[in-house]
Amino acid sequence: MHALPHDHTGARIKRLRLERHLTQRALCDLAQIPYSTLTKTEQGTLPASPRLIAAVARALRVEVATVTGQPYTTELRADELDVLIQPIREALDVYDLGADPDITPRPGRLLEDDAQGLLVAVRAGEIKRTASQLPGLILEQTTAAHIEDTTEGWLLLASYYRTAYDVTSKLGFPDLATIALSRMEWAAERGSGAVIGGMYRYMRALTYLRAGQYRTGDRLIRRGLSTLEQADSGRERDVLVGQLHLGAAVMAARAKDRAAADEHLEEAGRIAQLTGDASEVHWLSFGPTNVAVHRVSVLAELDEYGQAAQIGKAVAMPKSWPASRKSHHFAELARAQMWSGQLEDSFANLVRARKAAPQQARYHQTVRETYDGLEAAKRQLPDSFLSYGSWLGA
């Protein structure tokens, strides 16, 4: 039988705790988490929730990635993705050096088509193809933006930086994702793009959500909403405002503020009724469907897993909805079902997450923690469960 991996999240928490000479009681006091939850997580009989991971990381003063074990270097190497990270890092590093004399940029129309193509590819779950093409395109558009010094050129560069954030965050490189976001803001300011500035603050808030710094994340959401007040009114601005409210809803739920979470969800739902499906607007997938899947996430963060599972199963996703969003929803639904004891349904949704966007699912922390939780449950599952663990590298 496949066994729970020796280096699961609970084992890493125990190792980090012992390195700091802390007892389990002491860590519970520092992290403000229940003693029984910590002990079961360290033993591997209870999966680590995102909230617990963030609380432990803050208490131990380490990055969340240190607790989760990201990036998953063995899998990255097997998928030949590890060699694509350094070129992205180098492309992000030359943002302020001006035009590269060895680069002759193509016409802006072609560079814009390529930028849109990468945004579509990421949402289709084609991470490897995107990562391989991205560095050269960033360098080309960096030179073009410095030469032309136009609003359009700088905002196009911001789009490439946004894709760099998407790729690096999905592959588990939070430090590089943060750098990509700072470059995105830098380019957006030069392009005087209030909408892009609002989107930057939304994405930056997500990094604080993962780190468990909910107050700072909420401040960024509010700053983003304030920035969007400077943008021209219309569907584009409405979509960004709605997406910020969705991010704020999850933030509030993880902070166990049910009233605030419901308020943000209600406002996002109201906006979604006005915009309809707006998946194409900055590829944020905003609309009624996105509000529905965020409602599942909010309920799960509030530990209402049974209701989250029930609502999640009823969500009807359009065939045209991005594969990356489908995969993420299936992973969230699997987590809720695992916690509510619906183990077979949970595994079925892990399989759906893999089928929808395999490259994303392989590096998705929720997928991995849910798989560990299913394995720890000691329940009879199909033989394919074991091969799924081998695929994850667990």
Side-chain angles (χ1 to χ4, degrees):
M1 287 289 290
H2 182 74
L4 192 67
H6 175 69
D7 199 35
H8 60 87
T9 300
R12 282 188 292 272
I13 290 174
K14 180 178 180 179
R15 184 169 63 249
L16 290 166
R17 174 177 63 78
L18 293 176
E19 286 175 357
R20 283 156 179 74
H21 308 290
L22 292 172
T23 64
Q24 290 177 323
R25 289 286 185 189
L27 178 55
C28 288
D29 290 342
L30 288 172
Q32 294 295 293
I33 56 177
Y35 177 75
S36 62
T37 301
L38 176 63
T39 56
K40 291 177 182 177
T41 300
E42 287 193 357
Q43 293 166 2
T45 59
L46 191 69
S49 68
R51 192 171 189 273
L52 180 138
I53 290 170
V56 167
R58 286 199 316 275
L60 296 176
R61 299 188 178 183
V62 297
E63 294 183 353
V64 166
T66 303
V67 179
T68 61
Q70 294 171 306
Y72 308 119
T73 54
T74 301
E75 290 79 10
L76 286 166
R77 192 175 300 115
D79 291 340
E80 298 181 340
L81 281 164
D82 57 325
V83 297
L84 302 178
I85 297 301
Q86 186 59 25
I88 294 176
R89 190 182 300 275
E90 292 170 355
L92 293 173
D93 196 43
V94 298
Y95 71 105
D96 60 345
L97 298 185
D100 188 328
D102 294 330
I103 295 177
T104 302
R106 292 168 295 150
R109 175 179 55 81
L110 297 179
L111 287 167
E112 185 173 354
D113 287 345
D114 283 343
Q116 287 296 312
L118 292 186
L119 288 168
V120 172
V122 169
R123 274 131 202 90
E126 299 174 2
I127 299 175
K128 185 173 183 178
R129 178 166 76 85
T130 304
S132 63
Q133 295 176 2
L134 184 59
L137 289 169
I138 289 178
L139 293 174
E140 187 177 2
Q141 183 55 39
T142 300
T143 291
H146 279 285
I147 291 174
E148 298 167 3
D149 195 21
T150 62
T151 295
E152 294 76 14
W154 290 116
L155 294 183
L156 186 55
L157 181 58
S159 176
Y160 279 116
Y161 288 146
R162 182 256 183 106
T163 297
Y165 161 81
D166 287 338
V167 169
T168 54
S169 60
K170 288 179 184 298
L171 293 180
F173 290 87
D175 61 328
L176 198 50
T178 299
I179 292 173
L181 278 182
S182 68
R183 301 294 183 263
M184 179 181 172
E185 180 191 33
W186 178 84
E189 287 178 348
R190 279 150 184 77
S192 301
V195 168
I196 301 300
M199 186 160 59
Y200 153 75
R201 285 174 175 81
Y202 163 71
M203 293 177 175
R204 187 178 171 197
L206 294 184
T207 66
Y208 282 94
L209 168 67
R210 299 183 191 110
Q213 299 182 35
Y214 312 123
R215 181 173 176 274
T216 301
D218 184 65
R219 290 178 64 194
L220 279 164
I221 292 286
R222 295 178 186 279
R223 180 63 65 87
L225 291 171
S226 176
T227 299
L228 287 169
E229 291 177 358
Q230 305 169 32
D232 294 334
S233 60
R235 190 165 183 256
E236 182 185 35
R237 185 177 74 175
D238 289 345
V239 166
L240 265 296
V241 171
Q243 194 67 29
L244 278 164
H245 279 293
L246 289 180
V250 177
M251 190 89 64
R254 193 169 291 184
K256 305 305 179 186
D257 188 342
R258 176 64 182 264
D262 287 343
E263 183 178 338
H264 285 297
L265 271 179
E266 182 179 350
E267 182 60 16
R270 184 190 68 78
I271 295 172
Q273 291 303 314
L274 297 175
T275 65
D277 179 47
S279 298
E280 81 286 354
V281 178
H282 294 290
W283 302 103
L284 291 169
S285 303
F286 184 75
T289 302
N290 208 15
V291 173
V293 300
H294 273 77
R295 190 175 302 279
V296 174
S297 297
V298 164
L299 287 169
E301 295 296 351
L302 292 169
D303 301 329
E304 297 181 12
Y305 295 110
Q307 189 176 358
Q310 181 179 358
I311 292 177
K313 288 176 65 175
V315 173
M317 289 178 286
K319 290 183 178 180
S320 60
W321 223 46
S324 62
R325 291 300 300 144
K326 291 178 182 178
S327 180
H328 182 85
H329 172 63
F330 290 139
E332 286 285 338
L333 179 54
R335 175 172 67 127
Q337 290 171 327
M338 181 269 295
W339 279 100
S340 57
Q342 303 170 53
L343 304 189
E344 292 181 1
D345 289 341
S346 176
F347 177 58
N349 277 300
L350 285 188
V351 173
R352 291 188 182 101
R354 174 182 177 177
K355 183 177 180 181
Q359 291 177 12
Q360 174 176 297
R362 185 165 160 90
Y363 297 96
H364 201 299
Q365 183 61 26
T366 299
V367 169
R368 289 172 174 265
E369 295 297 342
T370 301
Y371 179 87
D372 287 351
L374 290 174
E375 193 168 46
K378 309 296 185 184
R379 172 82 172 269
Q380 184 66 38
L381 287 164
D383 292 341
S384 55
F385 180 73
L386 303 182
S387 63
Y388 195 100
S390 298
W391 173 72
L392 282 178

